[in-house]
Amino acid sequence: MSQYELEYVTRTAQTPLTCRIVSMENSSPHWHYEYEAFFVLRGSVTVHCEATTQRLAAGDIFLFNPSEIHSINQPEPNNLCLMLQFSPDIYSDIYNTRFRFELNTCKNISHEAIGIFQQTMAQIGLLLYEKPNGFPFYVRGRLFDFIGAMFKYLKYQVGQELEQPVDLEDFDRIKLYIKQRFAEDISQTQMCRDLGLSRATLHRQLKKAGASSYKVLVNYYRVEHAKSMLRTTTSAIPYIASESGFASESSFYRVFKELTSVSPSQYRESPQIKPSSLGIQGYLGYSESEAVALLREICAR
């Protein structure tokens, strides 16, 4: 995922959505104007959305609503996920308001509904891979099936009942401050003073954005910097740890492994994986044949 606060989602002229198969690493907190349905096909991921942190395993689906700041981590490597992103404008000719849906298959939702969401998402992914004659019409039909199921099976809030969104300007200032100073020994107190924020406001913004603490967000940017140095330099690991803002090599190893599931040495030695050529763009490489087989298996249920 992009590390920018706002992710701009692009769609082709043929379909009213963006669909990708991805093998996730870690994403920084971000948001977009679209709904995003996240379906774990293999392995597991941890999603953070506002005050919610949820571990998703194979078969689970989580929906991020428009303007919700969220991030995703991988607790184990080699996951495979299917993402659908679509604008709420798609139902604007029927409803002149916006809806916030609660889709988290780890919570109380019927097996029937889970099966419908799984099959519909897999069908869309397979249609966009195989591209049969007339596939844009089939994709639109499946997307409307998905939206119809959202209204039928999910809890949702309407219009003024929606919670106030995160103050994106404040959160952007917090992120920029940390990104510019992650290598320093910066404290919450100093940052709050520099930005003119109270500690309560800082805590509230971080929780809504899915970051469990100030330290978690600092460590994210430190590890991202370390990953870049490991890939692009031959510097010794103790030097990289220091340049990334870690007080000791042991803390660097511990935090790095927590966020990437591998040690710094293993990350440096692992091959750099290029995106797959599968029609649905991904973030890391993965087996195209395995992805298609998983989609076909779900569609056949």
Side-chain angles (χ1 to χ4, degrees):
M1 283 291 211
S2 171
Q3 290 186 25
Y4 295 104
E5 175 199 285
L6 171 61
E7 178 189 26
Y8 291 97
V9 176
T10 58
R11 297 179 294 277
T12 66
Q14 293 178 309
T15 60
L17 55 79
T18 297
C19 180
R20 303 179 221 171
I21 289 180
V22 298
S23 182
M24 285 297 306
E25 273 197 307
N26 300 307
S27 74
S28 67
H30 64 280
W31 65 281
H32 36 69
Y33 294 111
E34 291 75 16
Y35 292 102
E36 179 180 306
F38 199 89
F39 180 12
V40 182
L41 303 175
R42 181 191 67 200
S44 65
V45 299
T46 300
V47 300
H48 310 276
C49 183
E50 296 189 342
T52 299
T53 296
Q54 181 71 60
R55 174 82 170 259
L56 305 181
D60 289 331
I61 300 174
F62 194 99
L63 180 73
F64 302 110
N65 285 278
S67 298
E68 285 184 340
I69 297 181
H70 56 278
S71 61
I72 302 168
N73 297 325
Q74 59 159 356
E76 58 181 327
N78 301 318
N79 60 65
L80 199 59
C81 307
L82 176 65
M83 296 168 50
L84 293 184
Q85 296 171 316
F86 58 93
S87 171
D89 292 339
I90 195 169
Y91 56 69
S92 61
D93 58 336
I94 301 173
Y95 298 109
N96 60 2
T97 187
R98 292 291 183 259
F99 299 86
R100 182 185 184 278
F101 295 92
E102 298 178 25
L103 173 53
N104 178 357
T105 56
C106 296
K107 294 188 175 180
N108 187 21
I109 182 171
S110 70
H111 290 295
E112 176 190 8
I114 292 174
I116 290 171
F117 288 122
Q118 289 175 335
Q119 281 207 332
T120 306
M121 290 186 69
Q123 288 167 356
I124 291 172
L126 200 56
L127 282 166
L128 289 171
Y129 171 72
E130 295 179 336
K131 291 184 170 60
N133 289 336
F135 79 91
F137 301 102
Y138 288 116
V139 169
R140 288 173 184 269
R142 297 292 81 77
L143 177 58
F144 279 110
D145 287 341
F146 188 89
I147 295 172
M150 288 166 62
F151 280 100
K152 180 176 181 179
Y153 294 106
L154 304 180
K155 295 179 181 178
Y156 56 86
Q157 295 174 301
V158 186
Q160 68 273 17
E161 297 178 10
L162 289 173
E163 295 180 1
Q164 291 298 312
V166 175
D167 187 331
L168 299 173
E169 182 178 351
D170 272 352
F171 185 68
D172 192 44
R173 291 168 62 216
I174 293 168
K175 282 183 60 179
L176 180 61
Y177 186 96
I178 294 174
K179 287 171 73 172
Q180 292 175 337
R181 297 170 176 81
F182 64 82
E184 305 171 17
D185 184 18
I186 51 177
S187 67
Q188 290 188 59
T189 301
Q190 182 63 48
M191 188 184 74
C192 288
R193 184 181 301 119
D194 291 344
L195 296 181
L197 299 174
S198 68
R199 291 176 68 92
T201 299
L202 171 64
H203 179 73
R204 183 170 61 252
Q205 296 291 2
L206 292 175
K207 290 294 285 185
K208 286 184 177 180
S212 57
S213 70
Y214 166 80
K215 193 67 175 178
V216 166
L217 198 56
V218 172
N219 282 339
Y220 172 83
Y221 287 111
R222 286 176 173 172
V223 168
E224 286 300 297
H225 180 72
K227 285 163 65 176
S228 177
M229 290 191 69
L230 288 166
R231 289 296 199 194
T232 60
T233 75
T234 58
S235 300
I237 288 178
Y239 175 78
I240 293 175
S242 176
E243 286 294 296
S244 300
F246 290 95
S248 67
E249 190 175 348
S250 61
S251 64
F252 172 54
Y253 270 86
R254 176 180 55 78
V255 172
F256 192 95
K257 193 160 187 178
E258 284 177 357
L259 292 183
T260 67
S261 300
V262 295
S263 69
S265 299
Q266 290 171 322
Y267 184 85
R268 169 173 267 173
E269 294 166 2
S270 64
Q272 295 195 46
I273 308 173
K274 296 181 179 180
S276 165
S277 60
L278 183 61
I280 306 165
Q281 292 290 327
Y283 298 143
L284 294 177
Y286 52 84
S287 168
E288 177 179 325
S289 59
E290 182 178 1
V292 173
L294 285 170
L295 294 179
R296 288 178 175 155
E297 178 185 339
I298 296 167
C299 290
R301 291 175 185 169

